[in-house]
mmCIF file of all heavy atoms in Angstrom:
data_model
loop_
_atom_site.group_PDB
_atom_site.id
_atom_site.type_symbol
_atom_site.label_atom_id
_atom_site.label_comp_id
_atom_site.label_asym_id
_atom_site.label_seq_id
_atom_site.Cartn_x
_atom_site.Cartn_y
_atom_site.Cartn_z
ATOM 1 N N GLY N 1 -42.523 -52.081 80.911
ATOM 2 C CA GLY N 1 -41.238 -51.448 81.127
ATOM 3 C C GLY N 1 -41.189 -49.946 80.968
ATOM 4 O O GLY N 1 -40.163 -49.325 81.269
ATOM 5 N N GLY N 2 -42.264 -49.344 80.491
ATOM 6 C CA GLY N 2 -42.272 -47.902 80.341
ATOM 7 C C GLY N 2 -42.308 -47.203 81.685
ATOM 8 O O GLY N 2 -42.557 -47.815 82.723
ATOM 9 N N GLY N 3 -42.048 -45.907 81.655
ATOM 10 C CA GLY N 3 -42.072 -45.146 82.884
ATOM 11 C C GLY N 3 -41.399 -43.807 82.741
ATOM 12 O O GLY N 3 -41.122 -43.339 81.634
ATOM 13 N N LEU N 4 -41.136 -43.194 83.879
ATOM 14 C CA LEU N 4 -40.501 -41.885 83.955
ATOM 15 C C LEU N 4 -39.063 -42.041 84.410
ATOM 16 O O LEU N 4 -38.795 -42.682 85.434
ATOM 17 C CB LEU N 4 -41.264 -40.986 84.929
ATOM 18 C CG LEU N 4 -40.640 -39.639 85.269
ATOM 19 C CD1 LEU N 4 -40.580 -38.750 84.034
ATOM 20 C CD2 LEU N 4 -41.426 -38.964 86.382
ATOM 21 N N VAL N 5 -38.146 -41.468 83.654
ATOM 22 C CA VAL N 5 -36.735 -41.495 84.011
ATOM 23 C C VAL N 5 -36.118 -40.128 83.775
ATOM 24 O O VAL N 5 -36.629 -39.324 82.995
ATOM 25 C CB VAL N 5 -35.944 -42.557 83.216
ATOM 26 C CG1 VAL N 5 -36.430 -43.961 83.543
ATOM 27 C CG2 VAL N 5 -36.056 -42.286 81.721
ATOM 28 N N GLN N 6 -35.011 -39.881 84.448
ATOM 29 C CA GLN N 6 -34.274 -38.647 84.244
ATOM 30 C C GLN N 6 -33.363 -38.757 83.028
ATOM 31 O O GLN N 6 -32.988 -39.864 82.625
ATOM 32 C CB GLN N 6 -33.445 -38.312 85.484
ATOM 33 C CG GLN N 6 -34.273 -37.962 86.706
ATOM 34 C CD GLN N 6 -33.422 -37.516 87.868
ATOM 35 O OE1 GLN N 6 -32.314 -37.999 88.063
ATOM 36 N NE2 GLN N 6 -33.934 -36.578 88.650
ATOM 37 N N PRO N 7 -33.019 -37.630 82.417
ATOM 38 C CA PRO N 7 -32.061 -37.678 81.313
ATOM 39 C C PRO N 7 -30.791 -38.408 81.720
ATOM 40 O O PRO N 7 -30.270 -38.217 82.817
ATOM 41 C CB PRO N 7 -31.793 -36.202 81.018
ATOM 42 C CG PRO N 7 -33.042 -35.511 81.452
ATOM 43 C CD PRO N 7 -33.508 -36.264 82.666
ATOM 44 N N GLY N 8 -30.311 -39.247 80.813
ATOM 45 C CA GLY N 8 -29.143 -40.060 81.086
ATOM 46 C C GLY N 8 -29.456 -41.402 81.703
ATOM 47 O O GLY N 8 -28.566 -42.259 81.810
ATOM 48 N N GLY N 9 -30.695 -41.599 82.091
ATOM 49 C CA GLY N 9 -31.104 -42.845 82.698
ATOM 50 C C GLY N 9 -31.380 -43.926 81.679
ATOM 51 O O GLY N 9 -31.202 -43.745 80.475
ATOM 52 N N SER N 10 -31.846 -45.057 82.190
ATOM 53 C CA SER N 10 -32.092 -46.224 81.354
ATOM 54 C C SER N 10 -33.449 -46.836 81.644
ATOM 55 O O SER N 10 -33.969 -46.742 82.755
ATOM 56 C CB SER N 10 -31.017 -47.290 81.580
ATOM 57 O OG SER N 10 -29.729 -46.823 81.231
ATOM 58 N N LEU N 11 -34.002 -47.451 80.633
ATOM 59 C CA LEU N 11 -35.210 -48.245 80.747
ATOM 60 C C LEU N 11 -35.076 -49.465 79.856
ATOM 61 O O LEU N 11 -34.366 -49.429 78.850
ATOM 62 C CB LEU N 11 -36.454 -47.464 80.323
ATOM 63 C CG LEU N 11 -37.053 -46.444 81.284
ATOM 64 C CD1 LEU N 11 -38.196 -45.710 80.597
ATOM 65 C CD2 LEU N 11 -37.543 -47.116 82.556
ATOM 66 N N ARG N 12 -35.778 -50.505 80.223
ATOM 67 C CA ARG N 12 -35.818 -51.708 79.408
ATOM 68 C C ARG N 12 -37.269 -52.046 79.113
ATOM 69 O O ARG N 12 -38.040 -52.340 80.026
ATOM 70 C CB ARG N 12 -35.149 -52.879 80.123
ATOM 71 C CG ARG N 12 -35.063 -54.159 79.280
ATOM 72 C CD ARG N 12 -34.317 -55.255 80.032
ATOM 73 N NE ARG N 12 -34.260 -56.512 79.294
ATOM 74 C CZ ARG N 12 -33.337 -56.810 78.388
ATOM 75 N NH1 ARG N 12 -32.374 -55.941 78.102
ATOM 76 N NH2 ARG N 12 -33.356 -57.989 77.768
ATOM 77 N N LEU N 13 -37.629 -51.995 77.851
ATOM 78 C CA LEU N 13 -38.964 -52.343 77.414
ATOM 79 C C LEU N 13 -39.010 -53.800 76.976
ATOM 80 O O LEU N 13 -38.057 -54.301 76.379
ATOM 81 C CB LEU N 13 -39.415 -51.457 76.249
ATOM 82 C CG LEU N 13 -39.370 -49.942 76.459
ATOM 83 C CD1 LEU N 13 -39.903 -49.239 75.221
ATOM 84 C CD2 LEU N 13 -40.149 -49.541 77.694
ATOM 85 N N SER N 14 -40.117 -54.443 77.267
ATOM 86 C CA SER N 14 -40.314 -55.819 76.851
ATOM 87 C C SER N 14 -41.670 -55.958 76.195
ATOM 88 O O SER N 14 -42.623 -55.267 76.544
ATOM 89 C CB SER N 14 -40.215 -56.780 78.043
ATOM 90 O OG SER N 14 -38.923 -56.780 78.604
ATOM 91 N N CYS N 15 -41.751 -56.874 75.259
ATOM 92 C CA CYS N 15 -42.995 -57.150 74.560
ATOM 93 C C CYS N 15 -43.077 -58.641 74.314
ATOM 94 O O CYS N 15 -42.187 -59.218 73.676
ATOM 95 C CB CYS N 15 -43.056 -56.385 73.241
ATOM 96 S SG CYS N 15 -44.489 -56.788 72.205
ATOM 97 N N ALA N 16 -44.130 -59.253 74.808
ATOM 98 C CA ALA N 16 -44.351 -60.678 74.633
ATOM 99 C C ALA N 16 -45.511 -60.906 73.682
ATOM 100 O O ALA N 16 -46.598 -60.350 73.865
ATOM 101 C CB ALA N 16 -44.625 -61.346 75.974
ATOM 102 N N ALA N 17 -45.281 -61.718 72.681
ATOM 103 C CA ALA N 17 -46.298 -62.037 71.692
ATOM 104 C C ALA N 17 -46.895 -63.408 71.967
ATOM 105 O O ALA N 17 -46.189 -64.342 72.346
ATOM 106 C CB ALA N 17 -45.712 -62.003 70.280
ATOM 107 N N SER N 18 -48.188 -63.517 71.760
ATOM 108 C CA SER N 18 -48.869 -64.792 71.917
ATOM 109 C C SER N 18 -49.949 -64.908 70.857
ATOM 110 O O SER N 18 -50.357 -63.916 70.254
ATOM 111 C CB SER N 18 -49.477 -64.932 73.312
ATOM 112 O OG SER N 18 -50.454 -63.932 73.542
ATOM 113 N N GLY N 19 -50.409 -66.128 70.631
ATOM 114 C CA GLY N 19 -51.443 -66.358 69.646
ATOM 115 C C GLY N 19 -50.946 -67.209 68.493
ATOM 116 O O GLY N 19 -50.148 -68.119 68.679
ATOM 117 N N SER N 20 -51.423 -66.888 67.318
ATOM 118 C CA SER N 20 -51.145 -67.692 66.131
ATOM 119 C C SER N 20 -49.814 -67.323 65.503
ATOM 120 O O SER N 20 -49.755 -66.723 64.424
ATOM 121 C CB SER N 20 -52.281 -67.534 65.126
ATOM 122 O OG SER N 20 -53.524 -67.916 65.675
ATOM 123 N N ILE N 21 -48.758 -67.685 66.193
ATOM 124 C CA ILE N 21 -47.415 -67.411 65.694
ATOM 125 C C ILE N 21 -46.843 -68.721 65.167
ATOM 126 O O ILE N 21 -46.239 -69.498 65.911
ATOM 127 C CB ILE N 21 -46.525 -66.814 66.785
ATOM 128 C CG1 ILE N 21 -47.177 -65.571 67.390
ATOM 129 C CG2 ILE N 21 -45.158 -66.459 66.196
ATOM 130 C CD1 ILE N 21 -46.400 -64.970 68.534
ATOM 131 N N PHE N 22 -47.022 -68.949 63.895
ATOM 132 C CA PHE N 22 -46.569 -70.185 63.280
ATOM 133 C C PHE N 22 -45.750 -69.949 62.020
ATOM 134 O O PHE N 22 -45.417 -70.889 61.309
ATOM 135 C CB PHE N 22 -47.763 -71.084 62.945
ATOM 136 C CG PHE N 22 -48.814 -70.421 62.106
ATOM 137 C CD1 PHE N 22 -48.701 -70.389 60.728
ATOM 138 C CD2 PHE N 22 -49.919 -69.822 62.701
ATOM 139 C CE1 PHE N 22 -49.666 -69.777 59.947
ATOM 140 C CE2 PHE N 22 -50.888 -69.204 61.931
ATOM 141 C CZ PHE N 22 -50.758 -69.188 60.555
ATOM 142 N N SER N 23 -45.425 -68.707 61.746
ATOM 143 C CA SER N 23 -44.650 -68.348 60.578
ATOM 144 C C SER N 23 -43.449 -67.514 60.993
ATOM 145 O O SER N 23 -43.298 -67.152 62.159
ATOM 146 C CB SER N 23 -45.514 -67.583 59.580
ATOM 147 O OG SER N 23 -46.030 -66.401 60.154
ATOM 148 N N SER N 24 -42.602 -67.216 60.047
ATOM 149 C CA SER N 24 -41.466 -66.352 60.329
ATOM 150 C C SER N 24 -41.966 -64.943 60.639
ATOM 151 O O SER N 24 -42.975 -64.497 60.095
ATOM 152 C CB SER N 24 -40.494 -66.338 59.149
ATOM 153 O OG SER N 24 -41.113 -65.800 57.990
ATOM 154 N N TYR N 25 -41.262 -64.274 61.505
ATOM 155 C CA TYR N 25 -41.730 -62.964 61.918
ATOM 156 C C TYR N 25 -40.568 -62.074 62.331
ATOM 157 O O TYR N 25 -39.530 -62.556 62.789
ATOM 158 C CB TYR N 25 -42.734 -63.079 63.066
ATOM 159 C CG TYR N 25 -42.179 -63.726 64.320
ATOM 160 C CD1 TYR N 25 -41.693 -62.956 65.366
ATOM 161 C CD2 TYR N 25 -42.165 -65.113 64.455
ATOM 162 C CE1 TYR N 25 -41.192 -63.552 66.515
ATOM 163 C CE2 TYR N 25 -41.664 -65.706 65.593
ATOM 164 C CZ TYR N 25 -41.182 -64.927 66.626
ATOM 165 O OH TYR N 25 -40.678 -65.515 67.767
ATOM 166 N N ALA N 26 -40.788 -60.804 62.163
ATOM 167 C CA ALA N 26 -39.890 -59.790 62.668
ATOM 168 C C ALA N 26 -40.579 -59.077 63.822
ATOM 169 O O ALA N 26 -41.802 -58.972 63.861
ATOM 170 C CB ALA N 26 -39.513 -58.792 61.579
ATOM 171 N N MET N 27 -39.794 -58.582 64.742
ATOM 172 C CA MET N 27 -40.330 -57.844 65.876
ATOM 173 C C MET N 27 -39.593 -56.519 65.989
ATOM 174 O O MET N 27 -38.409 -56.431 65.644
ATOM 175 C CB MET N 27 -40.189 -58.637 67.176
ATOM 176 C CG MET N 27 -40.823 -60.014 67.137
ATOM 177 S SD MET N 27 -40.770 -60.872 68.738
ATOM 178 C CE MET N 27 -42.089 -60.002 69.617
ATOM 179 N N GLY N 28 -40.292 -55.524 66.468
ATOM 180 C CA GLY N 28 -39.648 -54.236 66.571
ATOM 181 C C GLY N 28 -40.384 -53.276 67.476
ATOM 182 O O GLY N 28 -41.416 -53.599 68.065
ATOM 183 N N TRP N 29 -39.807 -52.107 67.575
ATOM 184 C CA TRP N 29 -40.375 -51.029 68.368
ATOM 185 C C TRP N 29 -40.496 -49.772 67.530
ATOM 186 O O TRP N 29 -39.568 -49.411 66.784
ATOM 187 C CB TRP N 29 -39.506 -50.728 69.588
ATOM 188 C CG TRP N 29 -39.518 -51.814 70.617
ATOM 189 C CD1 TRP N 29 -38.650 -52.851 70.729
ATOM 190 C CD2 TRP N 29 -40.460 -51.959 71.678
ATOM 191 N NE1 TRP N 29 -38.985 -53.641 71.794
ATOM 192 C CE2 TRP N 29 -40.091 -53.115 72.402
ATOM 193 C CE3 TRP N 29 -41.569 -51.222 72.096
ATOM 194 C CZ2 TRP N 29 -40.807 -53.549 73.518
ATOM 195 C CZ3 TRP N 29 -42.280 -51.660 73.201
ATOM 196 C CH2 TRP N 29 -41.897 -52.804 73.897
ATOM 197 N N TYR N 30 -41.629 -49.139 67.651
ATOM 198 C CA TYR N 30 -41.876 -47.835 67.076
ATOM 199 C C TYR N 30 -42.223 -46.873 68.202
ATOM 200 O O TYR N 30 -42.551 -47.288 69.314
ATOM 201 C CB TYR N 30 -43.024 -47.882 66.069
ATOM 202 C CG TYR N 30 -42.711 -48.617 64.778
ATOM 203 C CD1 TYR N 30 -42.549 -50.001 64.759
ATOM 204 C CD2 TYR N 30 -42.592 -47.924 63.578
ATOM 205 C CE1 TYR N 30 -42.265 -50.673 63.588
ATOM 206 C CE2 TYR N 30 -42.312 -48.594 62.396
ATOM 207 C CZ TYR N 30 -42.154 -49.965 62.406
ATOM 208 O OH TYR N 30 -41.879 -50.633 61.234
ATOM 209 N N ARG N 31 -42.152 -45.598 67.907
ATOM 210 C CA ARG N 31 -42.558 -44.615 68.905
ATOM 211 C C ARG N 31 -43.261 -43.452 68.226
ATOM 212 O O ARG N 31 -43.038 -43.165 67.054
ATOM 213 C CB ARG N 31 -41.367 -44.117 69.725
ATOM 214 C CG ARG N 31 -40.362 -43.285 68.948
ATOM 215 C CD ARG N 31 -39.155 -42.965 69.823
ATOM 216 N NE ARG N 31 -38.176 -42.132 69.140
ATOM 217 C CZ ARG N 31 -36.984 -41.819 69.630
ATOM 218 N NH1 ARG N 31 -36.612 -42.281 70.819
ATOM 219 N NH2 ARG N 31 -36.162 -41.050 68.929
ATOM 220 N N GLN N 32 -44.094 -42.795 68.999
ATOM 221 C CA GLN N 32 -44.830 -41.653 68.490
ATOM 222 C C GLN N 32 -44.955 -40.599 69.575
ATOM 223 O O GLN N 32 -45.494 -40.863 70.648
ATOM 224 C CB GLN N 32 -46.218 -42.065 67.994
ATOM 225 C CG GLN N 32 -46.972 -40.945 67.301
ATOM 226 C CD GLN N 32 -48.208 -41.442 66.580
ATOM 227 O OE1 GLN N 32 -48.748 -42.495 66.904
ATOM 228 N NE2 GLN N 32 -48.645 -40.698 65.586
ATOM 229 N N ALA N 33 -44.449 -39.427 69.281
ATOM 230 C CA ALA N 33 -44.588 -38.281 70.162
ATOM 231 C C ALA N 33 -45.773 -37.447 69.695
ATOM 232 O O ALA N 33 -46.166 -37.511 68.525
ATOM 233 C CB ALA N 33 -43.311 -37.447 70.163
ATOM 234 N N PRO N 34 -46.363 -36.650 70.582
ATOM 235 C CA PRO N 34 -47.505 -35.824 70.189
ATOM 236 C C PRO N 34 -47.185 -34.938 68.993
ATOM 237 O O PRO N 34 -46.148 -34.270 68.961
ATOM 238 C CB PRO N 34 -47.778 -34.989 71.440
ATOM 239 C CG PRO N 34 -47.271 -35.831 72.563
ATOM 240 C CD PRO N 34 -46.053 -36.515 72.012
ATOM 241 N N GLY N 35 -48.067 -34.955 68.013
ATOM 242 C CA GLY N 35 -47.893 -34.129 66.836
ATOM 243 C C GLY N 35 -46.903 -34.654 65.824
ATOM 244 O O GLY N 35 -46.641 -33.978 64.825
#
């Protein structure tokens, strides 16, 4: 879902988890800009 947008625009990010998911879990998003 990432990409280039103009100011005021919208994007929708998605993240799908797979594997050994058998316990309670939280999901979230972090971000990091250069520096």
